[in-house]
């Protein structure tokens, strides 16, 4: 009875965590999607007369050292971070899952070749691979997107392959094959329902990783460059003025924190 009560409490906790995470992501997603369309200010428009304007007045969330609206820049920065993280996750998840299913289903030299490729990718630190690609076109979206995708697909591949191998080894799969059920039927009805929740959890973690990586690389001036309204670069640009306007520096940092927190809470719910 005690175990049942503890389990029920844990499920309630997971449900609350998932709801909070989803709520955060919906609010930030709405701000990122709708904000740039309804906020009249241009995120790149400069007004030196409003340099470091405080919150309120003509600028709802103040202005940076160039007099650019922080509300407009935060909205565009949230859209950039959220959109880039989502596309990076898709570019990593789709080939990772497909190749994982292929390796588990076919086995043999195909599995060995894919394992070799995955091992080679894992031998390079993730950020090192991104930096190598950024060296050819610093500050551009393409190398950053490609580098993060190449780093993250391995996790999708390995989880998919290991889980699919476990499912395919079960007796009811062999029985389904003997009864004449095809590969497509087994994949849709037996394999995908098992790996689906795991892929959803990995997707949330992959998006959180991409957001942190993009912000970190921009903060050290090797990612997206100003005047692009990227959250990490906004923090670095405003850091010299922390003593005058500390809240301005904390706003993009808080937005990054809430984005990652929402994804982590959603992933926690998926694990349940």
């Amino acid at each position: 009875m005690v175990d049942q009560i503890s389990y029920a409490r844990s499920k309630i906790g997971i449900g609350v965590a998932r709801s909070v995470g989803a709520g955060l992501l919906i609010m930030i997603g709405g701000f990122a999607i709708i904000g740039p369309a309804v906020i009249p200010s241009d995120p790149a428009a400069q007004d030196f007369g409003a340099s470091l304007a405080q919150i309120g007045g003509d600028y709802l969330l103040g202005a940076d050292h160039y007099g650019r609206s922080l509300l407009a820049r935060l909205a565009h920065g949230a859209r950039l971070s959220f959109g880039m993280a989502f596309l990076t996750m898709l570019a990593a998840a789709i080939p990772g899952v497909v190749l994982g299913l292929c390796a588990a289903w076919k086995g043999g030299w195909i599995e060995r070749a894919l394992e070799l490729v995955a091992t080679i990718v894992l031998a390079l630190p993730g950020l090192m691979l991104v930096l190598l690609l950024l060296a050819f076109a610093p500050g551009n979206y393409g190398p950053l997107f490609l580098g993060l995708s190449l780093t993250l697909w391995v996790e999708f591949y390995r989880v998919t392959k290991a889980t699919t191998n476990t499912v395919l080894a079960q007796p009811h799969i062999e029985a389904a094959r003997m009864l004449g059920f095809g590969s497509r039927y087994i994949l849709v009805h037996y394999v995908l329902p098992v790996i689906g929740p795991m892929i959803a959890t990995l997707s949330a973690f992959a998006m959180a990783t991409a957001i942190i990586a993009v912000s970190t690389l921009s903060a050290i001036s090797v990612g997206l460059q100003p005047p692009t309204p990227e959250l990490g670069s906004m923090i670095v640009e405003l850091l010299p003025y922390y003593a005058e306007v500390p809240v301005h520096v904390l706003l993009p940092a808080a937005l990054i924190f809430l984005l990652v927190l929402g994804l982590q809470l959603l992933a926690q719910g998926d694990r349940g």
Side-chain angles (χ1 to χ4, degrees), residues 26-265:
I26 289 171
M27 287 190 294
I28 297 173
F31 177 61
I33 295 170
I34 301 172
V38 300
I39 296 172
S41 301
D42 181 352
Q46 299 180 4
D47 178 10
F48 288 100
S51 178
L52 300 180
Q54 297 292 332
I55 293 176
D58 293 336
Y59 295 92
L60 185 61
L61 292 181
D64 67 4
H65 51 300
Y66 290 117
R68 297 175 297 194
S69 169
L70 280 178
L71 179 61
R73 290 182 66 77
L74 286 171
H76 283 79
R79 181 169 67 175
L80 175 62
S81 294
F82 203 94
M84 195 163 186
F86 183 74
L87 291 176
T88 299
M89 179 272 294
L90 286 181
I94 293 173
V97 171
V98 171
L99 292 175
L101 290 172
C102 182
W105 205 275
K106 299 294 185 180
W109 69 268
I110 294 178
E111 182 178 4
R112 291 193 295 272
L114 290 172
E115 276 297 310
L116 177 61
V117 173
T119 302
I120 292 172
V121 172
L122 287 176
L124 283 171
L127 286 180
M128 181 64 70
L129 180 59
V130 178
L131 289 172
L132 286 173
L133 292 173
L134 279 173
F136 295 98
N140 289 341
Y141 293 91
L144 185 57
F145 167 77
L146 180 60
L148 290 172
S149 301
L150 288 174
T151 301
L152 294 172
W153 76 271
V154 178
E155 290 298 323
F156 288 95
Y157 162 75
R158 291 203 155 178
V159 168
T160 300
K161 183 176 78 72
T163 307
T164 303
N165 278 332
T166 301
V167 173
L168 295 179
Q170 294 178 2
H172 66 276
I173 300 297
E174 185 62 30
R177 284 172 170 166
M178 293 178 64
L179 290 172
F181 291 105
S183 300
R184 182 177 178 182
Y185 181 90
I186 293 173
L187 178 67
V188 171
H189 290 85
Y190 294 110
V191 176
L192 292 183
V194 175
I195 68 172
M198 298 181 183
I199 298 306
T201 299
L202 278 180
S203 298
F205 280 126
M207 287 185 65
T209 301
I211 289 170
I212 294 172
V214 170
S215 299
T216 301
L217 291 169
S218 297
I220 61 175
S221 301
V222 295
L224 302 177
Q225 302 295 314
T228 303
E230 198 284 319
L231 299 176
S233 64
M234 287 172 63
I235 296 173
V236 175
E237 282 188 279
L238 288 164
L239 202 55
Y241 310 97
Y242 178 78
E244 301 173 60
V245 282
V247 176
H248 289 25
V249 182
L250 295 176
L251 285 173
L255 195 52
I256 294 172
F257 169 75
L258 291 175
L259 266 172
V260 175
L261 178 63
L263 289 165
Q264 296 283 358
L265 290 175

